[in-house]
Amino acid sequence: MLTKSYKSFLAIICLFSCLFVDAQVEMNVDSLKSGSDSLVQVLRNQVQELQLQRIMMQERLEASGRSDSIQVAERKARIDSLRKITPGAPLVIDGDTLLVLYARKGGVYAETRVEQAYSRIMSQGKRLTMFTDSVYVYESDFFSDIMAGNEVILSVTDIDALWQNTTRQELAAKYSEIISSKIAEIHEEYGLHQKLIGLIWVIIIIVAQYSLIKATLWVYRKWRYRLLRRVMRWAAPFNIKDYEVFNIRRRGITFLFFFRMLRIFVIALQLLVSVPLLFSVFPETKTLTYTILGYIWNPFVDIVMSIIGYLPNLFKIIVIIFCFRYIVKALHYLSDEVASGKLKINGFYADWAQPTYFILRFLLYSFMFVIIWPLLPSSNSEIFQGVSVFIGVLVSLGSSSIVGNVMAGLVMTYMRPFRIGDFIRFGDVEGFVIEKTALVTRIKTRKNEVITIPNSNLMSSQTSNFTFAAENYGVIVHTKVTIGYDMKHELIEGLLLAAAKSTRYLLQKPLPFVRVTSLDDFYVEYEINAYTHHTNHLSEIYSELHQHILDHFHGAGVEIMSPHIFAHRNDLELQIPKNENN
């Protein structure tokens, strides 16, 4: 009687110990959820074992005075309630769940047991030869081992049977049948018979692909020049104005290129079908088939999906470009109207119309680009931003002179120092402005030399616009002569005014005038000045004026000579051309 009471007391102590340890383990699990998954799994397995031990201790305490059927029912209820909160470790092969293990065997957890069983089943199934009766159950005192030859596939314990509410022998027999069926199913796919059939299919695929490649090359060689002659005979020439884009030679080269690309495309399409088929023959290489197809199909799908996903932004970009395009067209129309003089705006010159249009167009397109930029693919990526910053740095470092010329050209446009066709002087250069661009201005001299001057140089130096002065005030044509003190200034002035009056393109209103510009030691310097509006004839005007000065002075017997005379000439004739009559 004391012995029975002592055992009951020990059982109660063990039960409370299990409950206490169980509670401590559960608290540890809750506190370590943020830690390692393996540690959490170890603690969860310990909780399961302790809960099983508690169930077994409760059965021992309640064994007296109860029937076997009541004990079985209570045990089943406890196991079912424990199974609801315990996920277990399923053994899954090819999507088929063969069994679920809940308990560990010795120091091996349920997950490890499932992994070992999976590798052993696959190893047995992939053998070239196999006997259907090689799977059996070996019974020992504590385990029921499911064997395949001399290899243990899975060991069934009493705890496993307790989880399944059955005996160990019945559970081992059930698992043995399931495992034997699965091994046979795997062997049908990986066995020697299947290998021989696969080898035959490999030979057939290789021979078929070789024949297709040979046939493709034969068709290419046979029809290449036949089709070339027909294309060159039937194809109509393609011209853009006077330029022939596709002549006979270019049509032939283009056709041969595309026909060669067609040959490569056909062979690549054949290989795209035959190579995956070749790898799909054997189960061991079947995954390579999906890998190879994935290398080709996945990028294609990614591109298509990216394009489909980008369509909303693409439509936005199209609408933005469409709107800005018509805004620019409207500005172009207004600039043409202002430039032609049909539309006049107070304070806005007609020659400002085109430059202003170009500036506004640049600003509009820049604003459009700023709006479109966030809508571009991968515009927010670091690579895209890094490349854009790099390009911006290169442009800013290498375009300082370019920007300076552009800004100078922009300022000169609105300063209007000269226009195209004006006769100007820049330093020692005189000529007509024939072209104004954003960067440079080109001048054609009287000798038909075209000189290119950067706008920044023109902006920083002085320029003289003869055409503008001629149109508004009249340009004064002037030249100087030096005469000795022995001549009266009235005579010299009259001769110079007569020469100016005889010169074409010189105005008589305002009247030409003479200035005595210098009284030097040995001569007097006279300057004839006359107005003209014809700056495009300045070379002719100066030449003709000089000729008339010579004619009038020589006709009056006046010598145009200003040497440093120290003594009177002795018997020297005047340096004047003699008349032919004399």
Side-chain angles (χ1 to χ4, degrees):
M1 186 67 180
L2 292 174
T3 304
K4 185 176 181 180
S5 301
Y6 180 72
K7 289 181 179 180
S8 300
F9 177 73
L10 289 178
I12 292 173
I13 292 175
C14 292
L15 176 59
F16 281 105
S17 299
C18 292
L19 291 173
F20 177 76
V21 174
D22 189 8
Q24 291 295 326
V25 172
E26 288 180 352
M27 290 175 62
N28 292 333
V29 171
D30 293 334
S31 63
L32 294 175
K33 280 185 178 179
S34 60
S36 172
D37 292 339
S38 60
L39 180 59
V40 171
Q41 185 61 39
V42 169
L43 295 176
R44 185 181 291 111
N45 292 329
Q46 292 178 358
V47 169
Q48 296 174 4
E49 293 181 2
L50 292 173
Q51 287 175 341
L52 283 174
Q53 293 177 6
R54 184 179 62 186
I55 293 173
M56 296 176 67
M57 293 300 296
Q58 287 178 350
E59 290 183 356
R60 293 178 182 177
L61 290 174
E62 298 172 358
S64 59
R66 296 192 180 185
S67 61
D68 294 338
S69 59
I70 294 176
Q71 293 181 13
V72 171
E74 290 179 352
R75 184 177 62 183
K76 184 177 182 303
R78 294 190 183 100
I79 293 296
D80 291 340
S81 62
L82 184 59
R83 190 184 290 111
K84 291 179 182 179
I85 62 174
T86 304
L91 176 58
V92 181
I93 299 178
D94 296 335
D96 185 15
T97 302
L98 303 184
L99 51 92
V100 179
L101 297 179
Y102 294 90
R104 69 177 185 179
K105 177 196 171 194
V108 182
Y109 291 104
E111 291 78 8
T112 307
R113 295 174 62 195
V114 166
E115 293 175 359
Q116 294 175 353
Y118 174 85
S119 61
R120 292 165 184 171
I121 292 173
M122 296 300 297
S123 175
Q124 290 293 328
K126 291 181 179 180
R127 295 176 59 182
L128 294 179
T129 59
M130 177 188 167
F131 299 100
T132 56
D133 56 350
S134 60
V135 178
Y136 61 93
V137 178
Y138 176 77
E139 295 289 349
S140 63
D141 293 338
F142 303 101
F143 307 110
S144 295
D145 296 329
I146 301 175
M147 308 286 293
N150 296 326
E151 183 180 9
V152 178
I153 303 297
L154 179 65
S155 295
V156 180
T157 65
D158 292 328
I159 302 297
D160 295 330
L162 179 62
W163 274 98
Q164 300 298 333
N165 292 316
T166 183
T167 63
R168 188 184 70 193
Q169 291 76 13
E170 292 177 353
L171 185 61
K174 177 182 177 181
Y175 285 173
S176 175
E177 183 179 353
I178 294 173
I179 292 173
S180 177
S181 176
K182 195 60 181 181
I183 291 176
E185 181 180 342
I186 296 173
H187 182 73
E188 290 180 0
E189 186 177 358
Y190 290 88
L192 180 60
H193 180 264
Q194 188 65 28
K195 294 290 190 296
L196 294 176
I197 295 176
L199 185 60
I200 295 173
W201 276 110
V202 167
I203 296 173
I204 293 173
I205 292 172
I206 292 175
V207 172
Q209 181 58 64
Y210 178 78
S211 302
L212 287 174
I213 293 176
K214 296 290 290 184
T216 303
L217 296 177
W218 178 81
V219 170
Y220 170 76
R221 288 191 297 267
K222 183 176 181 180
W223 288 93
R224 176 175 51 180
Y225 293 109
R226 291 184 182 181
L227 294 177
L228 177 62
R229 286 192 292 269
R230 293 184 181 181
V231 169
M232 296 178 67
R233 189 184 306 118
W234 294 340
F238 178 65
N239 298 331
I240 299 179
K241 295 183 178 180
D242 297 333
Y243 177 69
E244 188 177 12
V245 179
F246 284 107
N247 53 22
I248 296 177
R249 181 174 177 274
R250 289 172 183 164
R251 287 200 298 267
I253 293 175
T254 304
F255 172 77
L256 289 178
F257 172 78
F258 282 105
F259 198 63
R260 190 180 300 114
M261 291 297 102
L262 179 62
R263 178 194 63 179
I264 296 174
F265 175 75
V266 171
I267 294 176
L269 190 62
Q270 295 171 3
L271 294 174
L272 185 62
V273 177
S274 62
V275 171
L277 285 176
L278 188 66
F279 284 108
S280 64
V281 169
F282 299 105
E284 292 85 354
T285 59
K286 187 177 292 185
T287 55
L288 292 177
T289 303
Y290 301 105
T291 303
I292 295 173
L293 289 176
Y295 290 153
I296 301 172
W297 180 252
N298 290 339
F300 177 76
V301 172
D302 292 340
I303 293 173
V304 173
M305 296 305 296
S306 299
I307 293 174
I308 294 175
Y310 187 68
L311 285 179
N313 288 343
L314 181 61
F315 289 141
K316 292 180 182 178
I317 292 174
I318 293 173
V319 171
I320 292 171
I321 294 174
F322 180 82
C323 294
F324 275 89
R325 180 184 177 188
Y326 279 91
I327 293 174
V328 170
K329 282 189 174 183
L331 288 176
H332 190 208
Y333 172 76
L334 291 175
S335 66
D336 289 342
E337 293 295 307
V338 174
S340 63
K342 297 178 182 179
L343 178 61
K344 295 182 179 180
I345 302 175
N346 294 331
F348 193 89
Y349 298 95
D351 55 345
W352 286 356
Q354 290 300 323
T356 304
Y357 163 70
F358 291 133
I359 293 170
L360 291 178
R361 185 181 66 177
F362 174 77
L363 293 177
L364 284 173
Y365 282 144
S366 300
F367 183 62
M368 181 188 71
F369 182 73
V370 170
I371 296 175
I372 291 176
W373 181 271
L375 301 176
L376 295 176
S378 302
S379 60
N380 295 326
S381 64
E382 296 181 356
I383 296 176
F384 195 90
Q385 295 174 356
V387 171
S388 62
V389 170
F390 177 72
I391 295 175
V393 170
L394 290 181
V395 172
S396 62
L397 293 178
S399 62
S400 57
S401 61
I402 297 176
V403 173
N405 287 324
V406 171
M407 295 304 297
L410 180 62
V411 172
M412 287 194 299
T413 297
Y414 292 95
M415 287 176 59
R416 303 178 74 240
F418 50 80
R419 296 169 294 178
I420 294 177
D422 289 356
F423 186 80
I424 68 171
R425 177 189 295 161
F426 172 71
D428 297 333
V429 178
E430 289 184 354
F432 296 92
V433 179
I434 61 174
E435 185 180 6
K436 290 171 60 179
T437 66
L439 299 176
V440 297
T441 299
R442 290 183 174 87
I443 299 175
K444 186 177 71 172
T445 65
R446 294 191 179 102
K447 303 297 184 182
N448 286 337
E449 298 173 346
V450 177
I451 299 176
T452 301
I453 304 174
N455 288 335
S456 58
N457 293 352
L458 286 172
M459 186 67 187
S460 60
S461 301
Q462 179 180 354
T463 58
S464 300
N465 190 335
F466 294 100
T467 301
F468 179 81
E471 291 177 354
N472 293 273
Y473 318 108
V475 174
I476 295 179
V477 177
H478 57 90
T479 188
K480 296 179 180 181
V481 294
T482 55
I483 306 298
Y485 282 96
D486 56 340
M487 294 294 176
K488 293 185 177 181
H489 69 87
E490 292 88 353
L491 174 62
I492 303 302
E493 290 177 1
L495 292 175
L496 290 174
L497 291 175
K501 185 176 181 180
S502 303
T503 304
R504 291 179 303 167
Y505 304 119
L506 290 181
L507 301 177
Q508 299 306 314
K509 289 183 180 180
L511 291 173
F513 57 93
V514 177
R515 295 282 187 267
V516 178
T517 60
S518 177
L519 297 175
D520 291 329
D521 293 339
F522 306 106
Y523 55 82
V524 180
E525 186 180 72
Y526 298 90
E527 183 184 67
I528 178 66
N529 297 269
Y531 291 90
T532 183
H533 291 313
H534 302 279
T535 55
N536 53 336
H537 297 293
L538 281 178
S539 297
E540 301 174 16
I541 293 172
Y542 273 103
S543 176
E544 190 173 344
L545 177 61
H546 292 157
Q547 292 173 9
H548 289 156
I549 290 173
L550 289 173
D551 292 341
H552 283 77
F553 273 66
H554 293 165
V558 177
E559 181 182 22
I560 304 175
M561 187 174 182
S562 58
H564 293 184
I565 301 175
F566 295 95
H568 293 288
R569 292 188 236 183
N570 295 322
D571 300 329
L572 284 178
E573 298 181 355
L574 296 177
Q575 301 300 308
I576 301 173
K578 296 180 179 180
N579 293 329
E580 295 180 357
N581 296 330
N582 294 339

